Amino acid sequence: MITSSTTFLAGAVGSATSAYMVYRGLPENVIRRKLEGLFRTGEIYLKIIGYKKKELRSYPKIKRVKTYFDRREAVFTLPVGVDPSVVHGKAWLFKQTFGEFAELHMNDDSRTFILKAYINSISHYNYDLEAIREHVKGMELPIYAGKDRRGYVFYDMVPNPGLIISGEPGSGKSACLRSVLTTLINTVDDLELYCADLKKSEFHVFKGVAKEVVTTSGEILRVVMHIQRELMRREKVLESHEVEHVNQLPKAIRPPYIVLAIDEVALLKKETAIMEVIEEISTIGRALGVYPILSMQRPDAQVLDGKLKNNLTVRFGFRQSNEINSRIVIDSGECATIKNSDKGEMYMKFDGLTKVQGPLLSVEHARELLAPFKWSKDGIDSDERVDITEESQELDNHEDVIEMGMLG
Ligand SMILES: Nc1ncnc2c1ncn2[C@@H]1O[C@H](COP(=O)(O)OP(=O)(O)OP(=O)(O)O)[C@@H](O)[C@H]1O
């Protein structure tokens, strides 16, 4: 009798233990325990000094853990009073604990975080114009960023004007810029593209396709002043038609969208006349159909401070060598977590942060896709080219008059 009840008890304990082991081993519970351990190791909690100066800790609440075919996902909320930058600063610990493809996303409330622990990375892929055409239908100025885990990532620049692209050498910034501009040229009927590049290395593929490709500060000044005059002209047109956006003008007089792409904009920071116009474009260009796309290797806090950063809210942040640089671009440290070998990988700041893999578009492939739009062999001998030299002359005369007026 005793033997049989002991056996029964042992059996019951045994099966309870194995049931508990199975429960503990459930993927959701493993994630939960790992996360709780991470909060302790990473000191992600609120310290409260209680009775007799005893330290009490309030840990983040794990609200939900789920397993998907490609990832494990956990949602947690911080106790009120914990600085969310503590979590961002521990991004490395999340990767150490959940693997190199772990991503953290913060909700707008600055308390709720979603941890996505992916099984593998987004693989590399080539630029595919036909697939892109399918996705951009209905967009006025489609900006093609690449692919995230769910598929193609696009946005329309008309309601979200301007773009800043930054990444250290070799991170994939040039391929991205090439793909963004090639997409615009291939999908927007009424586009006037201006490219400016003091390093003379980026935009040769757009010569004869863009309205102008300029490479000296004098030429850049000429182009931006032309655009500034166009802004003034468009403002008057909007005023006389009593509308707020160029898109509301009658089709017959609607002007083309203007995109001004400037590579290594930081090299222009001492050119105050140019920088002032770029700021002006970023401020009033939205309604007037004029949009800047600015790129730079190392983000320059001075250039990206103030107006430009406030106005150009969409950013593509490729790899940065440190967290400070990453923060200048996307306002958080993730770009510093991208590995040197992760070519074309970036964080897109647009309604929160999204990890995106850009397409690989070689110069040769871009050249093929741009060939049908070439109006000139070398970009300087077409009738279609805007004669902005004459305008500059007019402006120079105008400035002389102003100066003489002032002297008088
Ligand atoms: N999206 C991508 N997918 C796969 N490989 C890429 C991607 N983008 C770039 N690469 C690879 O990385 C190399 C460097 O890319 P890219 O020239 O665009 O970098 P970069 O940041 O512009 O560098 P630099 O500023 O020196 O021009 C390319 O030669 C290419 O082989």
Side-chain angles (χ1 to χ4, degrees), residues 263-274:
D263 190 43
E264 283 314 323
V265 70
L267 295 177
L268 293 169
K269 73 176 170 191
K270 295 210 174 101
E271 308 281 348
T272 37
I274 298 177

Side-chain angles (χ1 to χ4, degrees), residues 124 167-175 202 297 343-344 357-360:
H124 288 181
E168 65 171 32
S171 59
K173 171 183 67 69
S174 305
E202 204 56 64
Q297 274 181 4
K343 303 290 184 199
Q357 172 66 44
L360 182 56

Side-chain angles (χ1 to χ4, degrees), residues 64-95:
R64 178 167 58 81
V65 178
K66 266 192 147 178
T67 309
Y68 296 89
F69 77 99
D70 62 339
R71 67 183 185 281
R72 307 259 158 81
E73 205 174 283
V75 179
F76 61 89
T77 49
L78 299 181
V80 173
V82 175
D83 181 350
S85 66
V86 175
V87 179
H88 293 304
K90 293 278 157 55
W92 56 271
L93 185 57
F94 284 88
K95 281 188 189 288

Side-chain angles (χ1 to χ4, degrees), residues 123-127 145 166-178 199 201-202 263-264 296-297 318-319 340-345 356-362:
S123 42
H124 288 181
Y125 62 100
N126 287 329
Y127 184 92
S166 181
E168 65 171 32
S171 59
K173 171 183 67 69
S174 305
C176 170
L177 200 51
R178 202 150 53 230
K199 275 174 70 197
S201 58
E202 204 56 64
D263 190 43
E264 283 314 323
M296 64 197 78
Q297 274 181 4
F318 287 84
R319 181 183 146 78
N340 202 9
S341 54
D342 293 335
K343 303 290 184 199
E345 196 174 295
V356 175
Q357 172 66 44
L360 182 56
L361 174 61
S362 65

Side-chain angles (χ1 to χ4, degrees), residues 23 51 61 66 79 114 117 135 146 181 196 200 239 254 258 262 265 288 322 334 343 346 361 370 376 394:
Y23 172 78
Y51 181 61
K61 269 204 177 73
K66 266 192 147 178
I114 304 169
H135 285 82
L181 298 182
K200 301 183 174 66
E239 227 175 272
R254 200 178 296 167
I258 292 179
I262 305 182
V265 70
L288 304 170
N322 59 56
E334 277 84 348
K343 303 290 184 199
M346 56 123 153
L361 174 61
L370 295 169
S376 146
E394 264 176 38

Side-chain angles (χ1 to χ4, degrees), residues 126-129 132-133 174-186 202-210 359-374:
N126 287 329
Y127 184 92
D128 178 352
L129 183 57
I132 290 166
R133 280 214 171 95
S174 305
C176 170
L177 200 51
R178 202 150 53 230
S179 132
V180 165
L181 298 182
T182 303
T183 304
L184 282 174
I185 288 169
N186 273 275
E202 204 56 64
F203 292 132
H204 27 78
V205 70
F206 296 101
K207 272 193 181 160
V209 176
L360 182 56
L361 174 61
S362 65
V363 174
E364 295 71 31
H365 189 187
R367 213 163 253 143
E368 265 172 46
L369 298 173
L370 295 169
F373 301 90
K374 220 159 166 100

